[in-house]
């Protein structure tokens, strides 16, 4: 083993010690859920985290597959400020697709030595919602009012890896689709997680074709105002800012198409994506 490899190994060991028994909330979307190679690498990375005594919690999206099925059914997907406009038919499609994705992730993790368990925001009152009107009327889109963090903590205590489907409900029983970035952030905040990590299909936050490796709250907000951050990246950065303001130590955006980008970002000094911190 070369001296360079030894240095990397000691670097990894340092982070393993630092993050032992800490909770990471990982939002999986985009490329992490598309290609078979990427899904396998993601599952192995999650199992690795568990083996080094990190507590990973997965919140998954499914936007690509929802849009694909809507197009196949002749329904035009609509978005507003990066959020999906969700009428009753779109809600039915979203819930069906998300349930399938949930079980696919669970199976993949279990096949590689993990103990994953799939849950919905409806299970044990996990995600209590109200209608989200922050972006106008975009249909059955939920704003999370309360997270039953005790339910997740019980699963972790039993050595499970929770895989959470971002569908919640209102006090009147109405089902709501929840933006997965928002759900991941709210769950991370409720659990006082060490890290919130967005595994997406982009390298991180980009400006003029270049990756921005580090961002603080002020500059993150500025990039949204300037229109540098747009589309589906808006909810991620807004969620990152909200999470950092209430005590989450760092938020990361990494590209799920790169094998084990999640581990590279967490366990190496320079990382591979964008790291957001309060300062």
């Amino acid at each position: 083993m070369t001296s360079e490899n030894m240095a990397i190994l000691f670097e990894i060991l340092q982070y393993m010690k630092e993050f032992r028994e800490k909770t990471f909330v990982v939002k999986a979307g985009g490329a992490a859920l598309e290609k078979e190679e990427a899904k396998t690498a993601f599952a192995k990375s999650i199992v690795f985290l568990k083996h080094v005594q990190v507590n990973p919690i997965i919140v998954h999206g499914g936007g690509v597959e929802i849009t694909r099925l809507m197009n196949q059914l002749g329904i035009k997907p609509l978005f507003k400020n990066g959020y999906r406009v969700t009428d009753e038919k779109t809600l039915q499609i979203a819930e069906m697709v998300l349930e399938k994705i949930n079980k696919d992730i669970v199976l993949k993790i279990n096949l590689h030595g993990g103990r994953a368990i799939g849950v919905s925001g409806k299970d044990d009152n996990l995600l209590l919602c109200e209608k989200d009107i922050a972006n106008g009327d975009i249909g059955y889109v939920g704003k999370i009012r309360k997270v039953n963090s005790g339910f997740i903590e019980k699963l972790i205590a039993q050595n499970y890896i929770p895989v959470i489907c971002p569908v919640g409900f209102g006090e009147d029983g109405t089902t709501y689709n929840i933006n997965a970035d928002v759900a991941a952030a709210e769950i991370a905040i409720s659990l006082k997680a060490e890290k919130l990590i967005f595994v997406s299909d982009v390298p991180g936050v980009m400006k003029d074709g270049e990756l921005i490796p580090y961002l603080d709250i002020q500059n993150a907000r500025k990039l949204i105002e300037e229109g540098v951050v747009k589309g589906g990246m808006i909810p991620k950065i807004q969620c990152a800012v909200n999470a950092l303001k209430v005590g989450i130590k760092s938020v990361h955006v990494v590209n799920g198409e790169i094998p084990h980008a999640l581990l590279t970002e967490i366990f190496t000094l320079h990382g591979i994506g964008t790291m957001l911190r309060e300062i």
Side-chain angles (χ1 to χ4, degrees):
M1 182 177 288
T2 66
S3 58
E4 182 180 352
N5 288 338
M6 285 297 297
I8 293 171
L9 177 59
F10 282 119
E11 190 176 309
I12 292 169
L13 288 172
Q14 175 187 341
Y15 284 116
M16 285 170 59
K17 182 178 179 181
E18 180 181 348
F19 298 139
R20 183 179 178 183
E21 297 184 0
K22 299 294 178 63
T23 296
F24 292 179
V25 176
V26 182
K27 186 269 179 167
L33 305 179
E34 280 288 290
K35 297 178 182 177
E36 193 63 28
E37 181 182 1
K39 288 193 289 187
T40 298
F42 176 76
K44 288 180 177 179
S45 295
I46 294 297
V47 172
F48 178 88
L49 288 177
K50 194 67 175 177
H51 282 325
V52 298
Q53 299 185 51
V54 173
N55 295 317
I57 297 165
I58 301 168
V59 181
H60 65 84
V64 174
E65 292 195 28
I66 293 169
T67 296
R68 184 182 298 126
L69 182 55
M70 289 180 69
N71 286 329
Q72 290 173 355
L73 296 173
I75 303 170
K76 183 179 179 181
L78 298 174
F79 294 87
K80 186 174 183 179
N81 295 329
Y83 293 83
R84 185 182 298 274
V85 178
T86 307
D87 59 14
E88 189 170 350
K89 188 171 289 186
T90 302
L91 178 63
Q92 292 173 353
I93 293 170
E95 191 166 14
M96 178 180 66
V97 170
L98 289 169
E99 183 176 347
K100 178 184 180 300
I101 291 172
N102 186 277
K103 297 311 173 187
D104 286 347
I105 295 173
V106 168
L107 176 61
K108 186 69 73 174
I109 291 172
N110 290 345
L111 285 173
H112 289 93
R115 294 186 67 221
I117 184 168
V119 297
S120 161
K122 295 179 178 180
D123 293 326
D124 200 16
N125 303 317
L126 178 55
L127 300 176
L128 178 64
C129 298
E130 62 186 13
K131 186 180 177 71
D132 188 352
I133 58 173
N135 293 286
D137 189 353
I138 52 177
Y140 293 94
V141 175
K143 175 183 178 181
I144 297 175
R145 289 181 52 203
K146 184 178 180 181
V147 177
N148 181 5
S149 55
F151 174 46
I152 303 174
E153 288 167 345
K154 288 176 183 176
L155 295 175
I156 292 172
Q158 296 176 59
N159 208 34
Y160 285 113
I161 300 170
V163 181
I164 301 171
C165 176
V167 175
F169 68 99
E171 289 185 341
D172 62 354
T174 301
T175 296
Y176 289 104
N177 183 30
I178 308 168
N179 179 282
D181 297 331
V182 173
E186 291 295 330
I187 290 167
I189 291 167
S190 73
L191 291 167
K192 298 180 173 60
E194 178 81 5
K195 290 181 180 291
L196 170 61
I197 305 160
F198 296 109
V199 181
S200 187
D201 53 6
V202 294
V205 181
M206 309 290 291
K207 184 175 182 180
D208 300 327
E210 297 290 332
L211 175 70
I212 303 175
Y214 299 102
L215 269 177
D216 59 22
I217 290 177
Q218 182 178 351
N219 284 313
R221 286 173 169 161
K222 185 178 179 182
L223 290 177
I224 295 176
E225 292 169 2
E226 293 174 346
V228 175
V229 170
K230 52 191 174 182
M233 187 60 73
I234 294 175
K236 289 179 177 58
I237 302 307
Q238 289 175 332
C239 290
V241 168
N242 292 338
L244 292 170
K245 284 169 60 180
V246 295
I248 303 300
K249 291 185 179 179
S250 62
V251 181
H252 305 256
V253 183
V254 299
N255 188 352
E257 286 186 323
I258 301 172
H260 306 297
L262 174 62
L263 300 181
T264 304
E265 175 69 10
I266 293 168
F267 291 114
T268 62
L269 180 61
H270 298 292
I272 197 171
T274 298
M275 178 180 183
L276 296 99
R277 298 175 293 192
E278 188 173 6
I279 299 175

